[in-house]
């Protein structure tokens, strides 16, 4: 499949991070976890924010984010 | 009305909380107020975030949330 | 549950008003009915407008609105 | 507050029903529970459907519905 | 990359299941297939429902769902 | 108007079906009725699901669907 | 095609009405026009409202509505 | 039914056009086909764009559009 | 920057008008105010309708509209 | 153009603020910048939240907000 | 008003471009026109695509876009 | 986990393609890249279109698409 490909390609994945402190840290946790497996994450778009409660107390802030990162093309397919 | 009812039922109410510090505390204030009258609140979903200003300064951060909590069935109706 | 609560809290309820004249009066009817039980209603946001017909003639204009009003905290809980 | 009110008024509440069999029964369970406290429920609009899983098996089907029902005006306020 | 990560992380994938019987089974088929490769699937949110027809007859009910499941952290990266 | 037209054309109509049993049959009823007048219906997309109630009991499940079907070009215009 | 069909079927059409006076009359005009060709129109849902201007003056109020009406089944196909 | 009707009325239909070249031509094909049966089409609003693939190659670009056109009132009903 | 520019260009601004009488007049007020500074406003699309209340009485109807108007190109830049 | 204008008018502008600390400060930065040129900003509605990353680290939190502020009518036009 | 402002600020404006050839050129025309007055436009997000027709023929392709560009801070206010 | 699975399963991934020429080629580039790793891609739905600019000139057209493709079941799990 010898195709000439122009233009930059980005993949998008959806992930939910959580934190007891707030949504900024929830996104940071999601990004840190994702960055172990993905490189070149450039933007995290917030898709949903909510809060989990236990017995009337906030247990964790959760942020659902869409991460976009540069598509990794395997060397052997180039 | 003798019906056998299976499955858990949750009610959802919409409430707006406010805070001078940020949206996390705005949600906490909404939840604390609601928890005086509702028990078993489990999730607060953010529906809208905004900020109220007075003379160019932020006066309060406001969060509109949907709270879901376990439906309380009155003993006498069981 | 001795919590210090800061910030103003608003509740939101959804209600459908109707009128034979138009949507402005439909909202007025919804608000008038709600004001018998709620105090301090401050805003009615239109969520949906429609019209009910019978035999090709418009029977009533209906407006679904979200009413926001100041949360009433019972004296004994303060 | 002696106001002449024309037009029919409906209230809308949001509720989540669940069932091990399917979404039709989940809605039926939500409606049956609500009907213990509300009369004249006329429509249940589906706002969201999901499924809860435990260890890879579906545990319950859940339906979030908006119930509209005729506003009950207390006799003493008329 | 020695980061301390707090909070639970969930991944979300989108998948379309189909069934000749109905949407509940369509979701079940999607979940069963996904569970061969993913563990700890906890929720399947319905994003879209449709029906495929051939010559005026319903051939299959299809459900597009978003599955959320616990992020698996590889032991070597911990 | 002698135009050369390439590409397949589909029309989309919106229809509401109902059933006492469930939404799958509601869609089937909508499709069966539409198939008396339309040929080559290929997909029915669910746009809205609701339930009609009478005196606290579910009377019918209703599904609003968008049907897409092959555009019939009249022979004389070809 | 001898199928037994249960449940009521409604068709939905989209139409834009206009008026120099306001949106209520715009909907009335749309409904009156549609009622010449359709019978049993029961609901007109507002999908969009706008206003057309000429030289800074409002020329007409326009309402885009979805009309739902009882599906007419031709006698010969029953 | 002798009603005086003021204001211009437009009908809206939904149609999917396709092309091997691109979405502009897909819309043109949809419009050309519709113009055989409808007159006075004035606007085609894009509701959805997608692409159909076969074996990894793009087979056709498809555009779902909403066409609005002047409502034709039959002379005999005037 | 000597570019040949083809096609008509429109700008869009968002504005909120208010009136004690109704939404039609609220839009008219918004348009009248905008027309003092903008020329060639052609369409006002309704983005949101709400109603402001004081002590249970409607104080004003508000309409948020998007105005589109012909882009004014300064003579010196042509 | 001597028109009597009743009702308060608000303009709405869209702006993106950024901060290395969090979304509350991002909104504050957007508001502070806008307040240099606009007076009477009263509300900042959050339209979108995201996070910009560089090499797996969060570089800035960004908030897209809609600011509404009192329309300034130039004295000479009154 | 001596405030220290951190973070980059972007303004967003909405504009409609048109072209007889296609939507890419419609966006290019909108951007070229805007660039005469704005500098540092960085992204044009498509909000809506449509096509204007005259007598069954496509007259122009129109693209409504949101342009984001770096907020220009006047030197004297720094 | 010996389950009998009926019905076809599709996975959906989100990807952003870019091109200096237009959105059709941007989608083609996204699809070509994805096809190196995925087989049986059947549909690319457009989720978002935008344009990246540098110094007032369009640098690339970008299309965010959702690709659906046949779920590959590993032989050993059958």
């Amino acid at each position: 499949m010898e195709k000439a490909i122009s233009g930059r390609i980005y993949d998008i994945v959806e992930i939910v991070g959580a934190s007891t402190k707030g949504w900024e840290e929830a996104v940071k946790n999601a990004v840190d976890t994702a960055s172990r497996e993905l490189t070149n994450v450039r933007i995290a778009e917030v898709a949903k924010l909510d809060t989990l409660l236990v017995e009337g107390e906030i247990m964790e802030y959760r942020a659902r984010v869409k991460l976009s990162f540069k598509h990794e093309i395997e060397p052997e397919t180039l």
Side-chain angles (χ1 to χ4, degrees), chain A residues 36-47:
Chain A
R36 290 177 176 173
E37 290 150 40
L38 306 173
T39 54
N40 293 314
V41 178
R42 53 169 194 153
I43 291 182
E45 299 176 326
V46 174

Side-chain angles (χ1 to χ4, degrees), chain A residues 52-67:
Chain A
L52 193 64
L53 296 122
V54 173
E55 290 177 20
E57 300 290 336
I58 289 173
M59 204 180 84
E60 61 185 18
Y61 294 92
R62 300 187 297 194
R64 185 192 285 204
V65 289
K66 288 198 171 195
L67 304 181

